[in-house]
Amino acid sequence: FGHQHACGLLDTGIVKCWGRNNAGQLGTSDGDKDTPQTINLGPGRTATSIYAGGYYTCAILDDASVKCWGKNNAGQLGIGSTTNTNTPTTINTLGTGRTAVSLATAFSTVCALLDDGSVKCWGDDGCGLLGDGGTNTNLNSPPSSPINLGTGRTAKAITGGEFHFCAILDDDSTKCWGQNNFGQ
């Protein structure tokens, strides 16, 4: 679920979204929809997983690429700009030979768990959401270096809240970053 919109992944790999469409998060330029709208992921492409953030959505596709669409005010779509788009657009590189195993979304930030266990985050860096020590510098593309999970540590799973992320590491410990005003 996103903020005022929802998306579903059918067993055929088709993605459908409905609800508010003020920033293209339904994959169309039409207005709000109370019926599911099929998202065009590209010729012959299907999704293996979907992730909705504030006013945007991302999907990992059957070819291991990642496409995002919707609001992009903080660069959360990872497409190298801060322009909203209602067309699913492939994010900029995750690194040579790297693919996303899963994603986690916050309101305006995305983190990707990569196939080597590293984690990269992009979008809004308010509250330290990018795991970079809180520089408050938004990124509109995945960074070249992953976040520091600790010496020799990799992640097995990642999840996001509205303004924070947590990862389960390879030693079964947990590491979290972002807003902590309620101890989250």
Side-chain angles (χ1 to χ4, degrees), residues 135-152:
T135 64
N136 284 325
T137 302
N138 296 348
L139 294 177
N140 60 22
S141 292
S144 57
S145 298
I147 66 171
N148 182 358
L149 297 172
T151 304

Side-chain angles (χ1 to χ4, degrees), residues 73-156:
N73 60 306
Q76 61 265 41
L77 301 186
I79 59 175
S81 75
T82 55
T83 302
N84 297 349
T85 180
N86 61 16
T87 302
T89 304
T90 304
I91 66 163
N92 289 343
T93 182
L94 292 170
T96 304
R98 296 280 65 95
T99 59
V101 173
S102 67
L103 303 176
T105 57
F107 197 78
S108 298
T109 311
V110 176
C111 289
L113 171 58
L114 303 182
D115 59 322
D116 65 354
S118 64
V119 175
K120 290 186 177 185
C121 302
W122 59 92
D124 182 11
D125 192 30
C127 312
L129 282 164
L130 299 183
D132 61 2
T135 64
N136 284 325
T137 302
N138 296 348
L139 294 177
N140 60 22
S141 292
S144 57
S145 298
I147 66 171
N148 182 358
L149 297 172
T151 304
R153 296 278 65 98
T154 58
K156 297 192 308 186

Side-chain angles (χ1 to χ4, degrees), residues 7-108:
C7 294
L9 175 60
L10 305 182
D11 58 0
T12 58
I14 292 172
V15 175
K16 293 191 177 236
C17 298
W18 59 96
R20 188 158 189 204
N21 194 36
N22 62 324
Q25 63 265 44
L26 301 185
T28 177
S29 60
D30 298 337
D32 301 346
K33 298 292 182 185
D34 59 0
T35 57
Q37 305 297 300
T38 300
I39 305 300
N40 180 357
L41 298 172
R45 294 278 65 97
T46 58
T48 59
S49 55
I50 57 172
Y51 308 86
Y55 294 98
Y56 68 98
T57 306
C58 295
I60 298 177
L61 304 187
D62 59 330
D63 65 355
S65 64
V66 177
K67 288 191 175 185
C68 299
W69 59 95
K71 191 167 186 173
N72 195 30
N73 60 306
Q76 61 265 41
L77 301 186
I79 59 175
S81 75
T82 55
T83 302
N84 297 349
T85 180
N86 61 16
T87 302
T89 304
T90 304
I91 66 163
N92 289 343
T93 182
L94 292 170
T96 304
R98 296 280 65 95
T99 59
V101 173
S102 67
L103 303 176
T105 57
F107 197 78
S108 298

